[in-house]
Amino acid sequence: MRLALFLVALLAATTAASRDLRTPDPEADPGIPASRVAKTSFKLPPHADGRPRVVLVLSGGGARGGAHIGVLRTLETMKIPVDAVVGTSVGALVGGLYAAGLSPAAIERIATESDWVDLFNDAPGRKAFRMRHKQIDDRLLVGAASGIDSKGLRLPTGYLHGHKLKALFRRHTLQVADIEEFSALPIPFVAVAADIVSGEQVLLERGDLAAALFASMAIPAIVAPQRIDGRVLVDGGVANNLPVDVAIAMGADVIIAVDVSALMYAPEALSSILTVTDQLTNLLTRRNTEIQLTRLRANDVLLTPDLGGASSLNFSDMGSLITAGVRATEYRTVELARLSAPDHVWTAHRTDQRRRQRRTVDIAAISVQPAGAGPAGLAAEQLEAESELEPGRLDIDSIQASADRLYGLELFSEVPWRIDQGTLVFAPARKSWGPNYLRAGLGFEDDLEGRSHYRLALALTATEINALGAEWRSHLYMGDRPELSTEFHQPFGATRDWYVRPYISWRSFARPIFEGEERLSDQRIRQGIGGLSAGRYFGTATDLRLTIESGRGSVERLVGDPELQGGDADSGSVSLHLEYDGLDHTFFPRSGSTAALRWRLSDESLGASTGYAAWSAELGSALSIGPHTVFLNTAWDRVYENAAPFHEAFTLGGFFRLSGLPVDALIGQTRALHRAAYYYRLPRSPFAPLYLGASLEAGAVGDDQEAFEPNALDLAGSLFLGIDSPIGPIYVGGGLAEDGRGSLYIFLGSPF
């Protein structure tokens, strides 16, 4: 293959000087059968000064498309005007941004400064989600939920729907959003996608530019197919990865084709599901690329940047591949030099191409137009209230924050927006696999000393039960801490900030009894509880609620000292909770803070075994500089009237809770825990953020206020490796307590 490319390049180099760079109409070229020529809606007009019409063709290739930016940079350095751009997949992205008026330097900043790991996750930051989501998002591990109905499971059509990526594309193409025909862009442009029904290439030449760019790079199975003009579209590389024929149909006199498609893996390199998937993509694209290479003419220029073994999947490496594009273009300087324009022509061309990006827009009205309908369906007026925007001059960040809030309702797969004659239109797409969802997860903890905990979790959620968006959620946990619960969450009010939530649950869990380091007994606690919560959300980060509950239960000795017999574990209380959660991540926060105040009154008249009163307070904050993060957390709990029974007393012990001690090794009526954790986000972790960290913990449990005294605190610490994986956090680490006790840990999921 490389020999073939070399021969093509050699032929171009030896004949370019002797040929007129302006070629005849491709449909009249006897070397190209008419049946194989693409049809475009426009053709480039000839230049008045006789210059050749130059069309840049940019191939797909995933992250390897960073080389395209280097090509653009060098072409501008050589003052070569590009009259049109045709691109597939990442080639459409880079070419479309250039056609929309961005400079190569601006495109390079997008490639190098964007957090691609984050962009390939549709969900916006936690700040976009209501407190209800935050309070339950650590219960289950798999973020994606399958739909379920009477016919069985319903799955999404792709892992990614483009909520964040489309927003990125729209942000950087807003300056040309009012241009319908892509031929009227600063540089005429065509994106190539593929019709997944017919397998044919589809030329995207008009409409929503951001949507066209995303459709062209919608990798099947990874990205959900995109519907445009009634067609179901996927990544254009499936049909035409290097669209030379499209450039010919546009009337190109000279084509500069840039091929960054990946080479095939050797057998020994097919070592993971990622490389096998990448190889499958290569098989689909390589064949049509080679066909297009045969259509290059003697005066066309083919650039094949030397990208070595660069992965097409690691978009975080895009910036490092720019230099390869520069070198490949400079290597063909002799052939390309004849395309350089005089200074006055180049200056005029660049002036016409550049467009200043818009940071604000004037909005006369706001409309929410959801696609698809739920079983009851929130009214458009309610969704507009959820956006929290008013007409006027709006900045792009505010618009996107509103789109994120609508996404945070967990009803939509994406919330794209557009500006239509002064009206800001949000077009949230309902999840095609809803409105009832099943989620599953697995939690596992092992201290590698014979003590382990595991939990298999299932959750069934029915959404939009009525016009106010009520939902019914049931959880089932299986393992050594089984639980079955169900709750009905009913919001009300104009902005649905108020709510009531009745619930019932049954649970069983074990609690050890220690004397010093000696484990005397394990007790099994079983409880059935019913309750009612009523409260109000303030924004997306604060929840104030009042809860009353009552339950019956028992304590039974499992193993150990027979004199430590159980008893009842009845509960009955009224409690008041004020919680604030502004952290950007549940398990590995890098910014934000959290705070909570809780008051609980347990009373025998409500069914409690023992009456008592207790309060709790907690503060936490995360601060990051680059890849370095420090998270500080402090918590106090105290029973200040009477004494809490065994099954409701405060405990300490376990990972991050005096690491090194067994889980719940300390028990008492007061508790203090202060933690400082440092973690470093390792580079070269493109698919799941990887962290190396350590914690220092100081805590105590007692039966009086002495647990709050500094000299009563026990010290502990841990070292850990953490992975923020798609199925939940994974920790591997070790802890050491002040008394010399230590443990090694393997965690999947939230620490128990």
Side-chain angles (χ1 to χ4, degrees):
M1 182 62 200
R2 293 190 178 185
L3 177 59
L5 298 181
F6 174 76
L7 292 175
V8 171
L10 180 62
L11 179 61
T14 56
T15 59
S18 61
R19 281 191 57 145
D20 185 345
L21 295 182
R22 290 166 293 162
T23 59
D25 188 324
E27 296 186 17
D29 189 340
I32 304 175
S35 62
R36 297 177 62 190
V37 175
K39 303 293 184 181
T40 59
S41 62
F42 72 97
K43 289 191 176 182
L44 294 169
H47 289 297
D49 59 4
R51 289 186 295 111
R53 294 164 292 184
V54 177
V55 176
L56 182 62
V57 176
L58 303 179
S59 82
R64 295 163 64 93
H68 290 322
I69 304 171
V71 172
L72 288 174
R73 181 204 293 174
T74 311
L75 292 179
E76 289 211 342
T77 300
M78 298 176 67
K79 300 181 180 180
I80 297 176
V82 173
D83 297 303
V85 182
V86 184
T88 296
S89 195
V90 70
L93 171 60
V94 174
L97 293 176
Y98 189 61
L102 272 66
S103 67
I107 302 172
E108 180 176 348
R109 285 194 295 272
I110 295 171
T112 57
E113 297 176 7
S114 297
D115 186 344
W116 292 98
V117 174
D118 180 65
L119 287 169
F120 278 92
N121 175 7
D122 279 329
R126 291 180 79 242
K127 294 179 181 179
F129 291 88
R130 288 202 169 197
M131 279 293 288
R132 175 163 169 76
H133 170 90
K134 298 175 183 179
Q135 289 161 346
I136 65 176
D137 67 357
D138 62 346
R139 296 185 188 178
L140 297 171
L141 305 180
V142 180
S146 301
I148 188 170
D149 58 19
S150 59
K151 298 179 181 179
L153 293 179
R154 303 174 60 193
L155 300 177
T157 54
Y159 167 74
L160 195 70
H161 290 79
H163 177 74
K164 288 181 182 174
L165 279 172
K166 285 184 183 177
L168 176 73
F169 301 166
R170 191 169 309 283
R171 177 186 295 270
H172 294 293
T173 59
L174 195 59
Q175 66 275 9
V176 295
D178 57 343
I179 297 177
E180 174 70 17
E181 299 290 334
F182 296 168
S183 59
L185 291 171
I187 296 179
F189 172 69
V190 175
V192 177
D195 188 320
I196 197 172
V197 176
S198 66
E200 298 174 347
Q201 76 170 355
V202 177
L203 305 186
L204 301 175
E205 303 176 89
R206 62 183 59 82
D208 185 330
L209 179 58
L213 299 184
F214 187 75
S216 182
M217 56 186 301
I219 304 171
I222 297 177
V223 180
Q226 303 296 296
R227 296 182 180 271
I228 296 180
D229 296 334
R231 306 189 75 166
V232 184
L233 306 180
V234 296
D235 192 300
V238 174
N240 193 351
N241 196 51
L242 185 68
V244 172
D245 59 338
V246 179
I248 294 173
M250 293 170 68
D253 295 317
V254 175
I255 294 172
I256 301 175
V258 187
D259 181 13
V260 298
S261 54
L263 300 177
M264 306 300 291
Y265 285 95
E268 59 273 12
L270 297 172
S271 57
S272 71
I273 189 173
L274 294 176
T275 54
V276 171
T277 302
D278 205 17
Q279 181 82 319
L280 178 60
T281 304
N282 295 342
L283 288 171
L284 293 172
T285 60
R286 195 66 232 170
R287 184 172 301 173
N288 66 60
T289 298
E290 291 181 2
I291 292 174
Q292 291 296 322
L293 288 173
T294 66
R295 296 180 177 175
L296 289 170
R297 303 156 303 185
N299 56 325
D300 297 330
V301 180
L302 174 65
L303 304 178
T304 54
D306 183 3
L307 302 174
S311 170
S312 60
L313 302 175
N314 190 357
F315 277 78
S316 298
D317 273 351
M318 282 187 72
S320 66
L321 303 178
I322 293 174
T323 303
V326 172
R327 287 197 300 263
T329 312
E330 291 176 342
Y331 182 74
R332 308 300 290 275
T333 299
V334 174
E335 298 158 72
L336 293 170
R338 63 188 66 249
L339 302 176
S340 298
D343 287 347
H344 71 281
V345 173
W346 169 249
T347 300
H349 171 84
R350 188 173 62 176
T351 300
D352 290 342
Q353 183 266 334
R354 295 291 195 264
R355 292 291 187 277
R356 183 183 297 275
Q357 291 184 254
R358 299 171 69 180
R359 303 289 183 235
T360 61
V361 289
D362 292 321
I363 300 299
I366 298 171
S367 174
V368 179
Q369 301 173 7
L378 291 175
E381 293 79 8
Q382 290 174 318
L383 293 175
E384 289 169 10
E386 294 279 358
S387 74
E388 301 181 11
L389 283 181
E390 296 292 339
R393 175 159 291 184
L394 302 177
D395 62 81
I396 307 306
D397 289 339
S398 297
I399 295 174
Q400 189 55 46
S402 293
D404 290 344
R405 279 192 291 272
L406 292 173
Y407 186 98
L409 297 175
E410 300 185 87
L411 303 175
F412 309 110
S413 59
E414 58 169 321
V415 184
W417 54 271
R418 67 182 187 275
I419 298 172
D420 186 1
Q421 297 181 345
T423 297
L424 173 61
V425 179
F426 293 99
R430 293 188 186 275
K431 295 178 179 179
S432 61
W433 59 100
N436 304 318
Y437 305 98
L438 182 68
R439 293 176 64 188
L442 174 67
F444 177 76
E445 171 195 346
D446 195 332
D447 64 6
L448 302 183
E449 293 184 359
R451 292 182 293 273
S452 63
H453 301 281
Y454 69 95
R455 176 178 281 190
L456 176 65
L458 294 172
L460 177 63
T461 305
T463 65
E464 292 189 272
I465 292 175
N466 55 37
L468 287 173
E471 66 178 43
W472 181 15
R473 185 186 300 264
S474 299
H475 294 92
L476 171 63
Y477 298 98
M478 296 171 283
D480 64 333
R481 299 183 181 188
E483 181 179 341
L484 177 63
S485 64
T486 188
E487 63 182 34
F488 186 83
H489 180 82
Q490 177 63 69
F492 59 92
T495 57
R496 305 190 315 126
D497 289 328
W498 295 89
Y499 67 87
V500 293
R501 186 190 304 147
Y503 63 90
I504 57 174
S505 68
W506 174 89
R507 62 182 179 176
S508 173
F509 60 97
R511 178 165 284 184
I513 298 177
F514 281 85
E515 185 175 289
E517 297 183 16
E518 182 182 359
R519 195 182 192 110
L520 300 180
S521 174
D522 281 350
Q523 306 285 317
R524 170 65 66 178
I525 300 168
R526 295 181 175 90
Q527 288 182 305
I529 297 175
L532 175 67
S533 293
R536 187 181 191 278
Y537 296 125
F538 296 88
T540 62
T542 305
D543 177 26
L544 175 64
R545 70 181 183 276
L546 179 69
T547 299
I548 183 170
E549 67 176 27
S550 181
R552 296 292 179 267
S554 63
V555 180
E556 176 186 355
R557 181 180 63 84
L558 292 178
V559 295
D561 190 343
E563 295 185 3
L564 297 174
Q565 295 295 330
D568 67 61
D570 297 343
S571 296
S573 66
V574 58
S575 56
L576 185 64
H577 300 252
L578 176 61
E579 298 179 12
Y580 170 82
D581 187 346
L583 296 177
D584 64 343
H585 196 283
T586 304
F587 304 107
F588 301 101
R590 291 183 47 78
S591 65
S593 58
T594 181
L597 289 173
R598 304 179 186 92
W599 173 81
R600 177 184 174 100
L601 176 66
S602 180
D603 194 275
E604 295 177 3
S605 65
L606 296 173
S609 301
T610 303
Y612 67 92
W615 60 264
S616 299
E618 183 174 1
L619 293 171
S621 183
L623 175 65
S624 295
I625 300 176
H628 306 276
T629 301
V630 173
F631 179 69
L632 302 176
N633 177 266
T634 185
W636 304 270
D637 308 272
R638 186 187 177 201
V639 176
Y640 65 90
E641 185 176 306
N642 297 330
F646 172 73
H647 62 280
E648 292 179 350
F650 303 117
T651 64
L652 269 184
F655 195 41
F656 291 157
R657 303 176 72 247
L658 293 186
S659 300
L661 297 183
V663 173
D664 296 340
L666 306 179
I667 184 169
Q669 301 297 308
T670 59
R671 176 177 63 186
L673 178 62
H674 314 292
R675 297 176 290 183
Y678 163 82
Y679 38 94
Y680 171 75
R681 179 169 173 174
L682 296 170
R684 304 291 180 178
S685 53
F687 303 108
L690 185 65
Y691 299 91
L692 182 64
S695 70
L696 179 63
E697 304 139 30
V701 168
D703 291 327
D704 51 38
Q705 200 166 349
E706 289 182 1
F708 295 159
E709 300 296 330
N711 58 4
L713 299 176
D714 295 322
L715 299 179
S718 71
L719 296 173
F720 61 89
L721 181 69
I723 305 174
D724 186 15
S725 79
I727 62 171
I730 300 173
Y731 299 92
V732 178
L736 181 65
E738 183 178 9
D739 61 9
R741 283 184 284 180
S743 293
L744 297 176
Y745 298 101
I746 299 176
F747 271 97
L748 171 59
S750 173
F752 291 90

